[in-house]
């Protein structure tokens, strides 16, 4: 519902969605629900489906939605259960979902993911980088996972959008029943000069305990070349 409302009211060029909770057979729901967008991602439930009937709460999965009229400029670099890396013109879009507190071998998983991302990003030149997602850690704390992410940010010259616009530590995770509030969802950019605005959105109807975050950021679309045909 939130995505549908944002499309109607704002029509963003890009959505970075985490925890889609869809099996491989149901990933086509994105195309059915949002036909004006190209959906890129994979299910995080393939192994669970292979092991038989699914019990308990579904989990994981990241998907990036790109407006269909920009699809010609999109190159898929990598997809996994926890990240999707795309190139859109001169910009790298990294959709990221890191494990939460209580996950078995959480720090090892975070280290492995960030190491994989390093290997992709270090070979890219002359690009801007935008990282968005549920990092499941407060980057302002001394949490071990936060330290790993901040080190990753330093390696790739990434800065927090919330700090760049003076809106740091707005709650992005709110669970009223548990009384929990925290800032664990972020947008990070490598070129602060291209960031126009950033905000945390509070939808009237939101079935998630996360609040959407949004940035307005410049990217360059290649000029269309025209061929002169003979008369």
């Amino acid at each position: 519902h939130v995505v549908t409302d944002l499309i109607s009211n704002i029509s963003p060029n890009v959505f970075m969605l985490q925890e889609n909770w869809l099996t491989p057979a149901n990933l086509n729901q994105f195309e059915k629900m949002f036909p004006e967008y190209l959906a890129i991602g994979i299910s995080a439930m393939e192994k669970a489906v292979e092991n038989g009937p699914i019990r308990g709460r579904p989990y994981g999965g990241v998907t990036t939605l790109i407006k269909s009229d920009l699809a010609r400029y999109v190159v898929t670099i990598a997809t996994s259960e926890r990240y999707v890396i795309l190139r859109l013109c001169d910009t790298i879009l990294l959709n990221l979902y890191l494990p939460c507190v209580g996950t078995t071998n959480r720090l090892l998983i975070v280290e492995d993911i960030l190491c994989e991302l390093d290997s992709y990003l270090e070979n890219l030149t002359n690009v801007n980088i935008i990282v968005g997602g549920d990092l499941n850690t407060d980057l302002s704390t001394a949490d071990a996972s936060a330290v790993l992410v901040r080190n990753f940010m330093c390696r790739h010259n990434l800065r927090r959008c919330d700090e760049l616009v003076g809106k740091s530590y707005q709650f992005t995770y709110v669970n009223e029943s548990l009384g929990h509030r925290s800032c664990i969802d972020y947008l990070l950019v490598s070129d602060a000069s291209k960031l126009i605005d950033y905000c945390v959105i509070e939808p009237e109807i939101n079935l998630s305990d996360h609040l959407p975050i949004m940035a307005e950021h410049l990217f360059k679309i290649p000029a269309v070349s025209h061929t002169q045909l003979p008369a």
Side-chain angles (χ1 to χ4, degrees):
H1 296 288
V2 172
V3 174
T4 300
D5 289 344
L6 287 174
I7 290 174
S8 298
N9 299 327
I10 304 174
S11 189
N13 286 315
V14 179
F15 283 93
M16 295 182 180
L17 309 175
Q18 301 84 41
E19 290 192 275
N20 59 44
W21 292 2
L22 294 177
T23 63
N26 287 324
L27 281 177
N28 61 356
Q29 292 299 316
F30 284 110
E31 297 176 358
K32 292 181 179 179
M33 290 291 296
F34 316 116
E36 59 271 68
Y37 284 81
L38 169 69
I40 302 173
I42 64 175
S43 171
M45 300 180 64
E46 185 172 353
K47 293 181 181 178
V49 171
E50 291 175 351
N51 291 333
I54 299 174
R55 296 180 175 86
R57 176 177 171 172
Y59 55 89
V62 293
T63 299
T64 299
L65 303 181
I66 304 280
K67 265 191 176 178
S68 296
D69 58 359
L70 295 173
R72 73 182 77 174
Y73 306 115
V74 174
V75 176
T76 301
I77 296 174
T79 58
S80 93
E81 294 182 359
R82 290 194 174 271
Y83 59 81
V84 173
I85 309 175
L86 307 176
R87 179 165 183 161
L88 174 60
C89 302
D90 63 342
T91 302
I92 298 299
L93 302 173
L94 170 51
N95 183 359
L96 180 59
Y97 172 54
L98 294 180
C100 61
V101 174
T103 301
T104 304
N105 297 322
R106 178 192 180 207
L107 291 182
L108 289 176
I109 295 173
V110 172
E111 284 183 313
D112 286 346
I113 292 172
L114 297 180
C115 183
E116 291 175 17
L117 298 180
D118 282 336
S119 67
Y120 288 113
L121 298 181
E122 67 185 5
N123 295 320
L124 299 172
T125 58
N126 300 319
V127 293
N128 304 310
I129 300 173
I130 301 177
V131 179
D134 179 1
L135 306 188
N136 268 312
T137 187
D138 183 342
L139 294 181
S140 300
T141 68
D143 175 71
S145 181
V147 172
L148 291 173
V149 174
R150 288 200 299 270
N151 291 338
F152 172 79
M153 291 171 60
C154 288
R155 293 194 295 273
H156 300 286
N157 300 312
L158 295 168
R159 299 179 65 186
R160 290 167 49 175
C161 290
D162 57 328
E163 292 184 339
L164 288 170
V165 299
K167 298 178 181 179
S168 59
Y169 214 85
Q170 291 181 304
F171 295 127
T172 65
Y173 171 80
V174 180
N175 190 314
E176 299 290 359
S177 61
L178 296 177
H180 293 169
R181 295 188 174 202
S182 59
C183 179
I184 59 175
D185 305 273
Y186 295 91
L187 281 162
L188 316 172
V189 295
S190 63
D191 188 347
S193 69
K194 294 185 181 298
L195 178 67
I196 299 173
D197 197 10
Y198 166 89
C199 64
V200 177
I201 302 172
E202 298 189 28
E204 292 184 6
I205 300 177
N206 184 12
L207 303 181
S208 171
D209 47 17
H210 289 259
L211 298 175
I213 57 178
M214 184 175 70
E216 188 175 355
H217 190 279
L218 297 175
F219 66 94
K220 185 177 181 180
I221 297 178
V224 177
S225 61
H226 297 279
T227 303
Q228 183 68 40
L229 297 178

